[in-house]
Each structure stands twice: as C-alpha cells, then as structure tokens.
Amino acid sequence: MSLYERLQKASSEEDVKDAYIKALGLKEYQKNLIDIQTKEIWFEAKDTGKHSTYKMFTQLMHYVQQALNKGESIPPFLAVIDTQKAAIMKSEDVLPFLEKKTIKWGKSASGYTPEALDAISAHIGTHFVSFKIQSHEEEFISTIKNAIKNGDIVRIQITPDNLKQVFDKWVLMIGKEIKGIAEENYALLFFADIMHDGTISTHENLPAELMHKNGAPVFSLNGHIYELSNKEGYRQFWAIYHKPPKVEYRNYLLERRDSLIPINERSFKGAFYTPLAVVDKAYDKLTETLGKNWQKEYVVWDMCCGVGNLEVKHSNPRNIYMSTLDTADINVMRATKTCVAAQRFQYDYLNDDITDNGTIDYSLTNKVPQGLIKAIAEGKKILVLINPPYAEVTSADNSAGGNNSDNKTGVTKTKFAVKAMNKFGKASNELYTQFVARIAMEIPNATLAMFSTLKYVNAPTFEAFRQVWPALFLGGFVVHSKAFEGLKGDFPIGFLIWKTNQKNTLHQKFIEISLEVLDKKANAIGEKSFYNVVNQELLTNWISRPKTNKHSVVPLKNAITPATATKDLRGTKWSNDAIGYMLSGGNDLQHACIQTVIFSSGYGSARGYFINHENLWKISILFSVRRLIKSTWLNDRDQFLQPSKPLTDEFKNDCLIWMLFNGSNLTASANDLEWCNKKWSIVNHFIPFTEVEVNATDRFESDFMVQYLADKTLSTEAKLVLETGKLLWQAYFLHTDVRTVRDELKLNRSDVGWYQVRKALQARNTSSD
C-alpha cells in the first residue's frame, strides 16, 4: 500500500505519523511535543489537509525557538506533514531569523499569534520545498531520504526515465497556469522551461523561449507572450526538480517530444518515437537487402521524419530529405543539430500539393526542394524511409468514403484520400496506407522501407489495396509494439522493404512473406510467415448468413441484460427457425478472443450469425477454433481460414460439446426482461439434457439440443464432459438459490442456461453453502 493510500485511511494524528515513519523508514525516532523527532529532522504532523504549510511550519518554529533559547541542538532539516501534502526546508535558512528573537510567540505552539504566522510566512516562502503526496509521493520520499543521507536537499534530475512523469506534473503545476496556451503546445513550453538555467537556454532555435518579465517567468511562442496566472506552482515545481538536465540527456530528451504530444494529435501525426535499437536493426536490414553502399546510392526521403531519429544513423546526410507536418519538429532538429547537412522542411504530405483532380503539383506550395523534385523526375534511386501514422481515419464524416463508410469515430480525412484513393477500398481510411498510395503515384519506382502495422499485408479489408498496389517484397522484420513508447496493445509492428512498380499492374502478387521476429528489446527470437489470402478463403465467409425476418426479439448486451445503447436497436430482428445468435467480430485472432460469444437472443452487432439447425455444426466449429487458439502479440493479426479438407463427425461433435460448456456460451432463459417499455422472454435451446436427467423442477420449453444430439456418436472425451456437466445441472436443481441470486441471474424459469447454472453455483460457493 502506498503512503497516500495509508494516509487516506488515517483516522488520527498517530496514524498519520506512523504512515510517514513507515514510508520513510525512519530509525531511532521519538514522538514528543515535536510529533516526530530524529537527530536529522523534526516533523510537525496533522491528521487533515486543512492546515496550510505556513501554519504548520509556524507551529514547528515555536519548538525550534524554544530549543534555541535552551541552547539545545537543532536538526539540519525541518518538515511538515499531513494527509495531503508535505514540505521540507533546511534549518540553516531560518535559524538566523529566529536568533533575532523578534517574533511575538503565543503561549503554545498551536496557539501561535497572527504576528508570528505573518513573520514566519514572509521569511520561509522561498526556502521550503513542498509536495502533493497524491502526485509527488516518490519525489517526497526520495528527497527526505537523500536529505537524511547526504545532509542536503538535492533536487531531482530530469532524465529519459522520468521525462513523461515530470512533464505530467509540470502540466499540472505550471502548464495549466499559463494563460491562453493550447494544450498541444504544452510540450514546447515545457522544453523551453527545462532547457533554461535561469539565465540562458541550453539550445538556440528552440520553438519556444523562456523569458522573464518584471522578475516573473513568461513564455514566448510564435510571437506571442504567455504569462502565468499564478506563480506558486512554478516555484514549488522547480524547488523539487533540477534544471537544466545533464548535458548527456539534453538532445535525447528533445528528441522524445513525441511522447509528450496529446495522444489524439500524436496518432494523427504519427509521432511515435522509433527506438534507436530498432533503428539499428532497420539499417542492418537495409544493408542486407539493398547492399552495403545503399547510403551512397539512394536519395532518401522521410516525409514523416518527426525529430529525425530514423535518420541519425545515416552516414551520408546530404542524400537525405526530411519533411514533417509540424514546424516545431524542424526547430527541434535545428536546436539539437540533427542531420544538419540534410534538407529539412515542413510539409503536409497528405494535403499539400494535391490538386482537385487528385494529381500532384509542387507549384501549389513550392515547399518541396528542387533537388528532390529533380531526383523524382529523373527516376533516380529513391528510398522512402518512414515510420508513418498508424491512426485510422474512421468516422463516416471523417473517412475518405464519406457517409457510405461504416467506421468508428476517428481522426480526420485528408485531401489525398478524398481526391485520389477511390480504387483502394477501405485502405483509404488508414493514414499510413494513404502515404503508401501517394508514394506509389508520385514515385512509382521507389523503394519503400516502412514501419507499420501488418493490416496492409493480410487484413481482409485491405484486399482491394493489395490488388492495386503492385510491389515486390524484398525483406523485413516484425518487432513487438511495446518497443514503441505510447502504442497501446500487444501486436507486431513490421519494418518491410518493398520495390514498388506501380506502372506494371501485372506484377505478381505476393502470397507469403517470411519475416524475422524481434522482441520488445529488439532481440531476434525467430521467424514468422504472413499470408495474403483472398477473402473467399477466410473462415468468416464459410457460413452463409441466414436472412432476417420481421419478428423482433430483445437485444442483449450480455447473457440476461437487455441492451441500453441506441445503436443496439439493429440487433432486434430475428431469423426463421433461429435458436440463438453468435457474435463473431473480425476474422483475426485479435478480435476472436473477445468477440466470440453465443446468445439466446439478438445482440447489438451485425457481425455475427443467427444459429439454426442447418448451420449449428459450422457455428460450433467456428466458435471453438476462434476460442481455442490463444492470441499473442505475434499472431494478433493472423487470419482464420476455411477448412481445406473434409471434417470428421467426431471433430464436429467435439466442437459442439466444447462450445456448450465454454464460458462464452451465454445462452440463457428469462422472463420479464424490460426493454423499450415492454417485457420480453428468452428461451434456452442449448440444454443437452432432459428434465428427468437433471431432476428439473418444471418442463423445459425447448428440447432442441437433446433431439439434435440423439443420433450423434460422441467421443469418449465428449461423453465425459456431458456426464460432468449433468452433475452440475443436477447440483443446481438440488437447491433453490436465495432471492438476491435469483433476481440477479433471472432464475425465473426452469430451462436455465449454462451461464446461469455456473454463476448460481459460484454464488453458493461464495456463501460457503
């Protein structure tokens, strides 16, 4: 339990003292009039956060004054603590003031006079270092321990390891106090602040600048001056941290600006820092694929360069063109002297120089250097080396397809996608494939080396893209997404090298590519193949979807809970002879682990199948294989394929029994489910036992599964599962559950489902029944 968590449970001042003593590991302490007393430090403690730091220090100074009057020793440090905050100061900063004996003290420490409070507050305001325990617990503990050990209050260094943490606290204490600044510019002002020693900046040409006006800090950005609404947070923050960072960290910290950009903006800009260990592997792969002289032979264009970490390993920067969406990135590269000999320029690759008919006209912006235009025109060897945005352009309003697209809320459409990607299908809704498509049109014979997800290699929605993008695979690797700070999830990021040949539309399409596999630390751990399979061969197309009828049923959001979202209205239609509904979202392992479920009624998703007598055997196979194969970061995007050979009856029946007793079998029965101002019932068709076999209390409305299994020959394992399941069903009917469980699980019918049986038995076990 953290110190802050202990403090929130404290009910007395003694609890507060004990929490701090334990967190700080204090030894040889005493609890007297001075709340906690060691030879190195004295603490004044309170059991609430209502007292100001100044009031608590005034009380503590009363004891210090008494000790001075008696000629007793004073510790090097003084501290105040409560349930919310803490502060520390050096005794030497206040002793000369107290020795003047000019303060009018009260009769006791807690009975301080207003004059004493005013005098102490005026003197100590610039000397103590304060901490908010909820957000600065680690810094507080570290500062106190270092003070005791080293005899000094040592400010915390800003390093690559704590950069994001320090930035978040800077925003909380300083950034939010800067009048008129946009959130996306916090990072620029943060670096201007930390890269300044109080007199001069460590770097020239930073996008923002720290200045002083009337003795107070102000920031300059894009010709505007931004002042602080309140300066107390600024003082407190820089009493905790040391600036500027050590020389060896400075450039690297500036290069990590991407990690501080708001996540929605970062997704659109593609600002995910490529770790240098991964860059090393990429350069090794380029050398292996293009030859040892590739850095001399190829003109390189990185149109998503960010702050240039993909190019820092290049030995011939005069061959490099680097463009980025954000001018601030150019300024950071200038400040850190990154790739000085390269040509660096601001360029919005997906919007700049796109004509209304979808062609490219460099004269629209005149941003692209003439040397690069000439190299493209002359057909020189050009390597496009990029780590582009991975974000998907998703809402109907924002997608390239407009209102005909069915997508999630997302980033924004681009001019290139709207004007020039009508042949690329849903790939036009992905930012990185927009880059690939423009590159194919603009530099039709380019060599492309790109970091990206693998959706363009094997995702069903990218089949149209693969058909109109002729490219020869040359080599590459995949690396764990966790190698890239800021990317959520666990999936492979590919670095794939392609020789594009857009003018040869008859170019042979790749069927399989083999990639080296790197872990999150960029260590080689094996090899894996990825496949380009036509959609007709995917498992999701194996089952014909039964048609809907005009009959309405209650849509569910779990086994027995009616849907509440407006969008779930589309799940209310049913199908002739249907006995249930299977949710089957996506055709890859990423979706299979969370979107493979069967229900006794409709579900608010069109990505599934009505279950009936004809397709039940296929449904059970689809369910089982999707659930049995576990998703890993490496197989995350792998696609399920249709069976290539006839399946045995034993396999079919095993899958059915496995499905019936799986935790994602949410079939159930219930009366009086309320939805849309009506009461609804759902019937369970998936009980593999008769009423007599399980000693049921009443008739089951459906005996579908018993009849379906009647002529099936089951394996030994399937029989054992059925026998064990029967025991559990019998155990359920042996007792009547308490009212709260009956209400929660809707146990108001006899034909309960496997979900209800196991949940009821779990509830009995919880109550030791």
Side-chain angles (χ1 to χ4, degrees):
M1 187 183 299
S2 69
L3 169 60
Y4 181 74
E5 290 170 336
R6 288 194 184 94
L7 291 174
Q8 301 320 296
K9 295 182 178 180
S11 57
S12 67
E13 195 171 286
E14 287 302 312
D15 291 341
V16 173
K17 295 177 192 178
D18 291 340
Y20 277 96
I21 288 169
K22 183 173 183 178
L24 296 171
L26 297 179
K27 308 295 182 183
E28 299 180 4
Y29 59 86
Q30 294 179 331
K31 297 180 182 178
N32 299 310
L33 287 175
I34 299 168
D35 289 324
I36 306 174
Q37 188 174 5
T38 75
K39 64 179 181 179
E40 298 94 358
I41 187 169
W42 289 356
F43 293 87
E44 172 68 20
K46 298 293 181 184
D47 60 0
T48 74
K50 297 179 180 179
H51 300 271
S52 75
T53 299
Y54 293 97
K55 289 181 180 179
M56 290 191 286
F57 266 125
T58 299
Q59 289 187 239
L60 186 56
M61 295 305 167
H62 183 97
Y63 297 120
V64 176
Q65 184 73 73
Q66 288 182 336
L68 284 173
N69 295 342
K70 295 176 182 178
E72 297 174 351
S73 62
I74 308 297
F77 302 101
L78 305 169
V80 295
I81 52 177
D82 65 24
T83 57
Q84 303 291 335
K85 61 186 179 297
I88 182 175
M89 65 181 297
K90 293 181 182 179
S91 300
E92 65 183 37
D93 289 331
V94 75
L95 290 181
F97 175 68
L98 294 179
E99 287 172 348
K100 295 178 181 179
K101 298 183 179 180
T102 57
I103 298 176
K104 296 180 180 179
W105 299 101
K107 293 182 179 180
S108 65
S110 58
Y112 54 82
T113 65
E115 293 83 1
L117 176 60
D118 290 344
I120 293 297
S121 298
H123 182 77
I124 69 173
T126 58
H127 294 301
F128 66 83
V129 181
S130 59
F131 303 85
K132 185 178 179 181
I133 299 301
Q134 184 176 11
S135 57
H136 285 74
E137 177 177 325
E138 293 181 8
E139 289 89 342
F140 165 72
I141 293 173
S142 173
T143 299
I144 297 293
K145 288 183 175 181
N146 283 333
I148 293 173
K149 181 179 179 180
N150 302 313
D152 198 4
I153 298 176
V154 180
R155 288 182 174 88
I156 297 169
Q157 288 282 344
I158 302 173
T159 69
D161 292 332
N162 68 7
L163 175 65
K164 184 64 167 64
Q165 180 185 40
V166 173
F167 172 72
D168 289 342
K169 292 171 182 176
W170 182 92
V171 169
L172 185 66
M173 300 174 72
I174 299 175
K176 292 184 180 297
E177 295 292 343
I178 302 174
K179 293 182 287 187
I181 195 68
E183 179 184 353
E184 60 264 26
N185 289 325
Y186 280 155
L188 301 179
L189 303 194
F190 169 73
F191 282 116
D193 199 2
I194 71 171
M195 296 298 177
H196 200 286
D197 65 4
T199 303
I200 189 171
S201 177
T202 59
H203 294 73
E204 297 179 0
N205 301 317
L206 285 176
E209 183 179 3
L210 174 66
M211 306 167 65
H212 289 82
K213 179 181 176 183
N214 299 326
V218 297
F219 294 91
S220 173
L221 177 64
N222 297 329
H224 296 282
I225 299 296
Y226 298 93
E227 299 182 5
L228 291 164
S229 300
N230 184 291
K231 304 174 187 64
E232 180 64 15
Y234 192 90
R235 184 199 66 78
Q236 291 182 4
F237 183 88
W238 288 118
I240 298 172
Y241 295 102
H242 175 82
K243 70 172 184 172
K246 292 181 178 179
V247 174
E248 60 265 33
Y249 294 147
R250 293 174 189 173
N251 284 352
Y252 180 75
L253 293 175
L254 286 170
E255 292 167 2
R256 296 311 324 277
R257 188 178 78 86
D258 63 282
S259 66
L260 308 183
I261 298 173
I263 190 65
N264 57 342
E265 182 187 0
R266 189 176 358 156
S267 296
F268 177 66
K269 292 180 177 179
F272 292 100
Y273 180 84
T274 313
L276 294 183
V278 178
V279 175
D280 281 336
K281 293 291 185 179
Y283 273 61
D284 290 344
K285 186 60 67 174
L286 285 166
T287 300
E288 174 188 320
T289 305
L290 304 181
K292 63 181 181 180
N293 294 321
W294 72 269
Q295 298 187 40
K296 294 180 180 180
E297 296 173 356
Y298 283 81
V299 173
V300 175
W301 186 8
D302 181 354
M303 56 281 292
C304 316
C305 70
V307 293
N309 65 309
L310 260 185
E311 284 69 45
V312 293
K313 299 287 186 178
H314 202 288
S315 62
N316 189 19
R318 297 191 71 83
N319 268 13
I320 301 176
Y321 293 88
M322 303 166 67
S323 60
T324 177
L325 186 65
D326 198 340
T327 302
D329 288 335
I330 304 296
N331 293 332
V332 169
M333 285 191 284
R334 287 172 180 158
T336 57
K337 296 181 173 59
T338 300
C339 298
V340 176
Q343 296 204 48
R344 304 165 297 194
F345 58 104
Q346 186 279 328
Y347 196 64
D348 185 349
Y349 192 70
L350 298 181
N351 290 292
D352 283 347
D353 293 334
I354 309 298
T355 67
D356 289 339
N357 61 7
T359 60
I360 298 170
D361 182 355
Y362 296 124
S363 67
L364 294 179
T365 67
N366 291 316
K367 291 181 179 180
V368 180
Q370 286 300 315
L372 180 55
I373 295 174
K374 183 179 179 183
I376 294 172
E378 293 178 354
K380 289 187 176 181
K381 283 186 174 182
I382 295 178
L383 171 66
V384 175
L385 178 62
I386 52 173
N387 182 5
Y390 304 152
E392 187 177 357
V393 180
T394 43
S395 74
D397 290 337
N398 290 337
S399 66
N403 290 325
N404 294 323
S405 299
D406 181 24
N407 299 299
K408 301 173 292 182
T409 302
V411 242
T412 183
K413 58 186 175 184
T414 68
K415 190 170 183 179
F416 181 79
V418 172
K419 299 295 183 181
M421 290 193 70
N422 59 310
K423 296 180 180 179
F424 287 86
K426 288 191 175 181
S428 63
N429 292 336
E430 197 87 20
L431 286 178
Y432 78 86
T433 45
Q434 292 181 24
F435 276 82
V436 173
R438 173 167 169 174
I439 291 163
M441 179 174 72
E442 184 174 15
I443 321 171
N445 292 309
T447 299
L448 172 66
M450 178 174 68
F451 286 97
S452 70
T453 65
L454 296 173
K455 292 169 71 173
Y456 76 117
V457 172
N458 63 359
T461 52
F462 282 66
E463 184 177 42
F465 171 86
R466 292 189 289 271
Q467 289 175 348
V468 298
W469 186 67
L472 176 65
F473 174 69
L474 301 180
F477 60 77
V478 289
V479 60
H480 198 301
S481 60
K482 292 297 186 187
F484 295 76
E485 182 181 327
L487 284 179
K488 294 182 179 180
D490 294 279
F491 54 91
I493 294 293
F495 177 73
L496 276 59
I497 306 170
W498 304 88
K499 178 61 179 176
T500 63
N501 192 354
Q502 196 65 14
K503 293 182 178 179
N504 180 10
T505 56
L506 298 178
H507 191 74
Q508 185 177 1
K509 307 293 191 300
F510 73 92
I511 301 299
E512 174 186 357
I513 59 175
S514 183
L515 302 174
E516 184 181 10
V517 178
L518 310 180
D519 63 16
K520 64 186 68 175
K521 294 183 179 179
N523 296 318
I525 57 173
E527 191 174 274
K528 177 173 170 58
S529 292
F530 295 83
Y531 300 90
N532 172 21
V533 180
V534 295
N535 286 359
Q536 290 89 331
E537 297 179 12
L538 300 178
L539 186 59
T540 190
N541 295 317
W542 187 45
I543 303 176
S544 298
R545 283 180 167 78
K547 295 180 179 179
T548 59
N549 57 27
K550 295 182 179 180
H551 179 61
S552 295
V553 294
V554 55
L556 302 173
K557 64 179 181 181
N558 63 29
I560 50 177
T561 305
T564 54
T566 303
K567 69 177 180 61
D568 292 325
L569 292 172
R570 66 182 179 181
T572 61
K573 295 302 179 184
W574 204 234
S575 178
N576 293 340
D577 301 321
I579 59 170
Y581 183 83
M582 176 182 176
L583 170 65
S584 179
N587 190 66
D588 55 27
L589 280 155
Q590 174 198 17
H591 293 91
C593 61
I594 56 174
Q595 295 185 14
T596 304
V597 190
I598 57 173
F599 299 93
S600 285
S601 191
Y603 182 76
S605 172
R607 297 198 295 175
Y609 309 85
F610 294 107
I611 308 172
N612 57 37
H613 186 279
E614 297 299 322
N615 69 13
L616 178 58
W617 70 276
K618 282 190 173 183
I619 290 288
S620 60
I621 292 170
L622 179 65
F623 180 100
S624 298
V625 297
R626 284 172 61 93
R627 277 286 172 189
L628 279 165
I629 302 174
K630 302 303 179 184
S631 175
T632 68
W633 76 268
L634 189 54
N635 70 14
D636 186 69
R637 300 295 195 262
D638 284 4
Q639 301 294 321
F640 289 97
L641 302 182
Q642 297 176 20
S644 58
K645 297 179 180 179
L647 303 173
T648 65
D649 288 341
E650 180 176 313
F651 177 74
K652 296 175 184 178
N653 297 334
D654 279 355
C655 286
L656 174 61
I657 300 301
W658 193 86
M659 178 180 75
L660 291 178
F661 291 93
N662 184 266
S664 291
N665 171 8
L666 299 188
T667 56
S669 71
N671 290 331
D672 300 327
L673 296 181
E674 294 186 6
W675 181 74
C676 277
N677 299 317
K678 290 177 61 177
K679 290 188 175 181
W680 303 73
S681 295
I682 56 175
V683 177
N684 178 20
H685 296 277
F686 289 78
I687 305 176
F689 312 112
T690 66
E691 297 89 339
V692 174
E693 288 178 303
V694 294
N695 300 318
T697 56
D698 206 346
R699 179 178 181 272
F700 298 158
E701 185 167 336
S702 169
D703 67 345
F704 173 89
M705 195 55 64
V706 171
Q707 296 300 327
Y708 187 85
L709 289 171
D711 61 350
K712 303 291 187 293
T713 302
L714 301 183
S715 66
T716 301
E717 294 83 359
K719 290 178 181 177
L720 183 58
V721 171
L722 267 181
E723 288 302 314
T724 307
K726 185 188 298 183
L727 293 176
L728 294 175
W729 236 279
Q730 291 170 346
Y732 167 78
F733 283 111
L734 194 61
H735 298 283
T736 300
D737 291 284
V738 297
R739 179 60 180 268
T740 54
V741 173
R742 298 202 310 272
D743 289 346
E744 178 187 354
L745 297 177
K746 304 294 190 295
L747 304 179
N748 48 27
R749 296 171 59 108
S750 61
D751 51 350
V752 291
W754 170 234
Y755 170 84
Q756 293 163 301
V757 168
R758 61 189 178 87
K759 287 295 182 181
L761 295 179
Q762 286 173 3
R764 294 180 197 175
N765 288 342
T766 301
S767 63
S768 301
D769 190 359

